Amino acid sequence: MSNGLSGPAPDERPTPQGRRTPEGVRIDPEAEAQPEIRRTTLSALVKHEPGVLAEVSTLFSRRQFNIESLTVGPTTDPDRARITMVVEEPEPGVEQAKKQLAKLLPVVSVTELGEDSIERELALIKVDGERPDEVHAVAEVCDARTVDVGPRALTVEVTGTEPEVDRAIEAFERFGVREVVRTGTAALARGTNETANTTGEP
Amino acid sequence: MGTPPETEQTAEAAPEGVETGAQAVVEALRAAGVEYLFGVQGGAIMPVYDALYDADDLTHVTMAHEQGASHAADAYGIVSGDPGVCLATSGPGATNLVTGIADASMDSDPMVALTGQVPTAFVGNDAFQECDTTGVTDPITKANYFASDPDSVGDDVGTAVALAAAGRPGPTLVDLPKDVTAAETDRTPGEPTTPETYHVQERADEVAVEAAAHAFEAAERPVILSGGGVIKGDAHEELREFAFRTETPVVTTMPALGSFPEDHDLAMEMAGMHGTGYANMAITHCDLLLAVGCRFDDRLTGGIETFAPDAEVIHVDIDPAEISKNVHADYPLIGDAGTVLDQLDEAVEDAPDADEWRAQCREWKETYSMAYEIDEDAPLRPEFVVEALDEATGDDAIVTTGVGQHQMWAAQYWTYTEPRTWVSSHGLGTMGYGLPAAIGARLAADDDQDVICIEGDGSFLMTIQELAVAVRENLDITVAVLNNEYVGMVRQWQDAFFEGRHAASEYSWCPEFDKLAEAFGAAGFAAEDYDDVPDAIEGALAHDGPAVIDFRIDPGANVYPMVPSGGDNGRFALTEEQL
Ligand SMILES: Cc1ncc(C[n+]2csc(CCOP(=O)(O)OP(=O)(O)O)c2C)c(N)n1
Ligand SMILES: [Mg+2]
């Protein structure tokens, strides 16, 4: 079809030297860095009301944030619940996830927990019941507890960091694992550090 | 002019006290200063309508379709700055609002949707006309509320109105179960306030402002990128002052049209996919970009890799989540646009030494001029029609548009000089936006402001039924249809990227819009030749009430410049061969 405007064609125009990464960061030609993938734990103090969990999970799926686990539970304040999330994102994704989360109205505050935070996960592992003594022995080594004993199946409970739970499940595999359920990571800041700012001030 | 007479806010308008949840809703709207509502009746919302029946100080406009109600409310919000309110029943009423809510969300427009819902006891049972409205609208609202208690339903509505306009504006929704609005309550809602978890930072950190000011002073090729937030934050005066004092060229995003006068020497006009060549050259070659209230949408940036690749970025935004979302901000300044621009103005002592750069920008304005040639014997050029309409109307005329090529010509060839005069669907790109938006804009505008709706033949047909409303309410609106008998924008892409295969983009038959207008009770005009244009425009503008002009434009006309999606802004095409 016809028409158009006049002026120098694209190849006849000056072009700048620089470029940006797909994340929008200006590339320093001397130190061209790939964005680092960061795995971290976010803790959000939220209003304890219906729909909050749905809002948080919708946000994560809509914005394509990569979420490894999510746990939710009440706190000592009946009006507040705490959501703990493990996210894995190339920068600046983690920062974005924090800011988008903080923007949700039922979210009171968001904290990124440092490397030294206390993180625990619980798993229930159901194994075949043929060798109960050996299961008990492994349970002892893994700091697991047997919580159900039947003629055909035994269930043990293990608590620990995510890698510890991984290792425990691996250790029980030799007995034939029938089913596993894991809670996902729950976490608190260490010492007197506060996990969440309860005043709601950003 | 057909706008209803201004009702005075007399003390007697306030009732002695509310008796039902629905009256509490109405009282909350009144307390929030709402004057107009746009909606459609239906079962679940009937108690609210019944309460509105007695509210003489609130004007309700019955729209033909709920989508129309949502766009009218959206445009009302854009033009007035106060939240526009739309109303619908449950189920299909609510789902018909969804397009307009999503549109308002993408464009950060202040808007409130009130939806009827089945009685609380039926919720979850798949009752007649039940829809999980808060679920459906959760990702497209700033916040939404399910009103579960007649004693607090008024406060829910007040909060929704306050929140819609606060900070970065956006749509909010309150879902109103019929039993809650019908129930008795004597709780008069309190002052509308935002929730305690909602925080807005007005002033940027002083240290950050100092650092940004130094970077700005040191720039050799500075550009200001004015975004929609400048208009929403009423910061156009601060922006103009800063640009004039520092003599910095100004590029605007599409939503920011009117934030800076396009007839000024420093105006580089709109950048992005169909932005001017000079705006895209300026953005591509600048070494410092002061971006105010914009979210770096991909239609603006093109490929991120080539967006302002040499520039340090100062990003002023009221929403911290916009900082470094798409483009890394070297100097993030979180705060209200006007306040932060004032802070910057104070911190910047010496304007950058940029005479050469300004000369370069001026030269680009000539080299990549938007001028076009007219052949009187050839079919009508749409650019000419837009310019003729601009000339025939006042400086403060309001333009609303549909979505397609006509929208781009309206953005490019109309000279915008005032904020809140450009009303369009940017982020969502909703065909059919123009006419219902013109209705909302008309009611928000001053009586002496012209309201021109520039529509495409396809887009107009999506919401043309709202002409019935414009006629019934006797609203002075001129609809200019740039009729190319094509789904033109799609046809242009097919020619450029799909080997000219016109799949579902040709209309083998189009209604005669002038006659259709007459059937609705509006005035109809048609223009096929250059000679017809002045009379048609004059006749339509002179008509007191809605008028439609069917401009039979060149069906082959294309929009240039053009940066293909994900392309390099600096390599915009001026002709199809360059794509
Ligand atoms: C609701 C909706 N459906 C589809 C599209 C895709 N689309 C974008 S532009 C366009 C063509 C619009 O045709 P018309 O209104 O005649 O405008 P023109 O481009 O011809 O000026 C289409 C179908 C859209 N933006 N919105
Ligand atoms: Mg068309």
Side-chain angles (χ1 to χ4, degrees):
Chain A
M1 296 257 170
S2 59
N3 67 54
L5 296 166
S6 57
D11 290 337
E12 297 159 16
R13 298 173 203 152
T15 43
Q17 292 300 306
R19 281 188 90 70
R20 287 181 188 273
T21 67
E23 291 76 29
V25 181
R26 210 152 30 93
I27 296 174
D28 181 349
E30 275 151 44
E32 194 171 326
Q34 281 298 311
E36 199 186 313
I37 293 194
R38 198 144 73 85
R39 186 190 176 86
T40 189
T41 307
L42 303 182
S43 178
L45 193 67
V46 303
K47 283 188 165 179
H48 202 173
E49 60 187 27
V52 179
L53 187 58
E55 253 191 82
V56 169
S57 47
T58 310
L59 171 75
F60 274 73
S61 78
R62 173 161 60 99
R63 301 237 173 229
Q64 297 196 23
F65 295 137
N66 196 2
I67 183 163
E68 297 278 307
S69 78
L70 185 152
T71 70
V72 60
T75 63
T76 49
D77 179 346
D79 295 331
R80 298 277 183 263
R82 193 186 301 281
I83 297 181
T84 310
M85 279 151 288
V86 177
V87 295
E88 194 172 284
E89 274 289 319
E91 288 298 6
V94 173
E95 284 307 309
Q96 257 299 304
K98 276 159 59 179
K99 289 191 277 194
Q100 292 292 352
L101 205 52
K103 229 168 104 168
L104 295 178
L105 278 170
V107 173
V108 178
S109 68
V110 179
T111 312
E112 181 176 350
L113 292 171
E115 303 238 311
D116 71 334
S117 63
I118 308 158
E119 307 204 343
R120 287 294 178 275
E121 177 173 1
L122 180 143
L124 297 174
I125 308 162
K126 189 186 287 179
V127 297
D128 285 339
E130 274 142 35
R131 294 180 280 164
D133 294 345
E134 285 176 52
V135 171
H136 291 313
V138 173
E140 203 154 303
V141 176
C142 297
D143 248 345
R145 285 200 309 142
T146 311
V147 288
D148 182 45
V149 183
R152 303 249 208 84
L154 292 170
T155 303
V156 295
E157 171 202 312
V158 57
T159 313
T161 61
E162 202 194 322
E164 282 166 358
V165 173
D166 286 345
R167 280 198 294 275
I169 293 171
E170 224 180 277
F172 285 105
E173 254 158 24
R174 72 184 82 150
F175 306 113
V177 171
R178 290 173 162 240
E179 279 182 312
V180 171
V181 61
R182 301 174 69 149
T183 58
T185 300
L188 278 184
R190 195 169 283 279
T192 52
N193 292 344
E194 258 194 298
T195 305
N197 171 344
T198 41
T199 61
E201 290 301 317
Chain B
M1 249 306 305
T3 46
E6 295 252 307
T7 33
E8 251 138 71
Q9 286 276 20
T10 50
E12 69 190 11
E16 294 98 67
V18 303
E19 288 168 11
T20 64
Q23 286 176 8
V25 169
V26 171
E27 198 43 43
L29 293 171
R30 192 177 270 137
V34 171
E35 291 175 41
Y36 288 97
L37 301 105
F38 305 88
V40 177
Q41 258 280 28
I45 195 76
M46 285 179 71
V48 177
Y49 270 97
D50 191 59
L52 278 173
Y53 194 69
D54 297 322
D56 295 336
D57 51 337
L58 295 178
T59 305
H60 177 269
V61 180
T62 297
M63 301 295 289
H65 187 292
E66 291 87 352
Q67 184 188 348
S70 61
H71 294 324
D74 176 77
Y76 182 89
I78 294 172
V79 173
S80 70
D82 300 324
V85 181
C86 56
L87 228 72
T89 192
S90 64
T95 54
N96 276 349
L97 290 180
V98 166
T99 301
I101 298 173
D103 194 294
S105 173
M106 288 293 266
D107 286 352
S108 308
D109 297 329
M111 185 229 259
V112 179
L114 303 178
T115 49
Q117 184 54 279
V118 300
T120 320
F122 290 85
V123 170
N125 292 1
D126 301 327
F128 177 62
Q129 294 193 328
E130 183 186 350
C131 166
D132 176 8
T133 303
T134 51
V136 167
T137 58
D138 176 65
I140 51 168
T141 48
K142 192 166 164 182
N144 65 24
Y145 299 94
F146 180 89
S148 52
D149 182 352
D151 285 343
S152 55
V153 63
D155 290 329
D156 289 340
V157 170
T159 302
V161 182
L163 198 55
R168 176 181 181 172
T172 58
L173 178 143
V174 188
D175 204 23
L176 302 163
K178 194 173 185 179
D179 58 321
V180 171
T181 49
E184 286 184 12
T185 178
D186 57 4
R187 282 278 295 276
T188 303
E191 274 295 300
T193 51
T194 55
E196 87 265 359
T197 51
Y198 186 70
H199 304 282
V200 177
Q201 183 174 330
E202 296 284 333
R203 282 181 73 80
D205 179 69
E206 290 297 343
V207 179
V209 170
E210 277 303 322
H214 284 309
F216 184 79
E217 284 174 338
E220 289 171 8
R221 305 187 303 277
V223 161
I224 295 173
L225 174 62
S226 175
V230 171
I231 292 177
K232 292 175 205 307
D234 285 319
H236 57 282
E237 271 165 25
E238 287 86 345
L239 182 113
R240 291 172 185 206
E241 224 162 273
F242 185 78
F244 294 157
R245 175 172 78 88
T246 59
E247 293 183 75
T248 310
V250 178
V251 166
T252 60
T253 67
M254 188 159 75
L257 290 176
S259 62
F260 192 78
E262 292 191 308
D263 51 5
H264 193 278
D265 182 44
L266 290 169
M268 306 301 284
E269 304 165 46
M270 181 173 86
M273 181 175 275
H274 290 299
T276 63
Y278 35 98
N280 283 329
M281 287 301 274
I283 254 195
T284 302
H285 291 273
C286 67
D287 70 346
L288 184 125
L289 189 67
L290 168 55
V292 188
C294 76
R295 57 183 178 82
F296 295 105
D297 170 79
D298 53 278
R299 284 292 197 260
L300 168 78
T301 61
I304 286 289
E305 291 86 349
T306 47
F307 177 73
D310 289 343
E312 284 202 293
V313 175
I314 304 173
H315 189 183
V316 179
D317 209 286
I318 200 158
D319 181 357
E322 282 308 332
I323 302 294
S324 298
K325 183 184 78 178
N326 293 341
V327 170
H328 176 74
D330 300 283
Y331 301 95
L333 300 180
I334 297 163
D336 166 68
T339 310
V340 179
L341 281 168
D342 273 344
Q343 285 180 274
L344 259 184
D345 195 40
E346 217 161 280
V348 170
E349 280 173 19
D350 306 310
D353 186 5
D355 285 344
E356 240 173 83
W357 171 241
R358 272 187 294 275
Q360 173 69 79
C361 288
R362 229 171 266 132
E363 191 189 308
W364 280 331
K365 279 174 91 162
E366 309 235 316
T367 315
Y368 300 103
S369 149
M370 294 294 285
Y372 57 92
E373 270 161 36
I374 286 175
D375 173 358
E376 297 275 348
D377 300 323
L380 258 183
R381 289 199 68 139
E383 301 91 333
F384 175 83
V385 175
V386 172
E387 289 185 330
L389 284 161
D390 187 9
E391 255 160 58
T393 52
D395 284 347
D396 58 354
I398 293 173
V399 177
T400 76
T401 76
V403 168
Q405 291 180 312
H406 61 280
Q407 175 190 28
M408 295 302 138
W409 289 314
Q412 292 175 330
Y413 285 93
W414 191 288
T415 304
Y416 298 92
T417 55
E418 294 302 324
R420 302 187 189 279
T421 58
W422 163 255
V423 182
S424 193
S425 170
H426 312 102
L428 199 65
T430 310
M431 283 171 72
Y433 179 81
L435 177 59
I439 291 173
R442 174 74 278 166
L443 293 172
D446 292 338
D447 286 356
D448 56 4
Q449 268 179 296
D450 295 311
V451 175
I452 310 295
C453 166
I454 298 180
E455 265 290 6
D457 43 320
S459 186
F460 189 33
L461 274 178
M462 287 205 180
T463 54
I464 197 167
Q465 67 275 11
E466 304 300 342
L467 260 186
V469 179
V471 171
R472 191 196 316 125
E473 301 285 331
N474 192 31
L475 300 178
D476 204 2
I477 292 166
T478 298
V479 181
V481 186
L482 302 187
N483 184 355
N484 51 12
E485 297 197 12
Y486 265 119
V487 180
M489 186 57 95
V490 171
R491 196 269 305 143
Q492 176 170 348
W493 283 48
Q494 287 168 332
D495 287 340
F497 310 120
F498 291 87
E499 292 152 13
R501 291 152 58 88
H502 291 177
S505 64
E506 285 175 16
Y507 294 124
S508 59
W509 164 248
C510 237
E512 291 171 69
F513 290 109
D514 50 333
K515 299 216 176 98
L516 198 48
E518 284 167 6
F520 272 103
F525 301 85
E528 201 161 350
D529 300 319
Y530 284 95
D531 291 345
D532 303 337
V533 173
D535 285 352
I537 293 178
E538 200 180 311
L541 289 177
H543 179 73
D544 181 20
V548 175
I549 314 173
D550 189 357
F551 288 104
R552 316 302 300 253
I553 62 160
D554 178 2
N558 282 342
V559 185
Y560 292 107
M562 176 173 187
V563 180
S565 334
D568 177 344
N569 273 348
R571 294 178 62 82
F572 51 86
L574 296 167
T575 61
E576 194 176 299
E577 296 69 50
Q578 293 175 4
L579 278 168

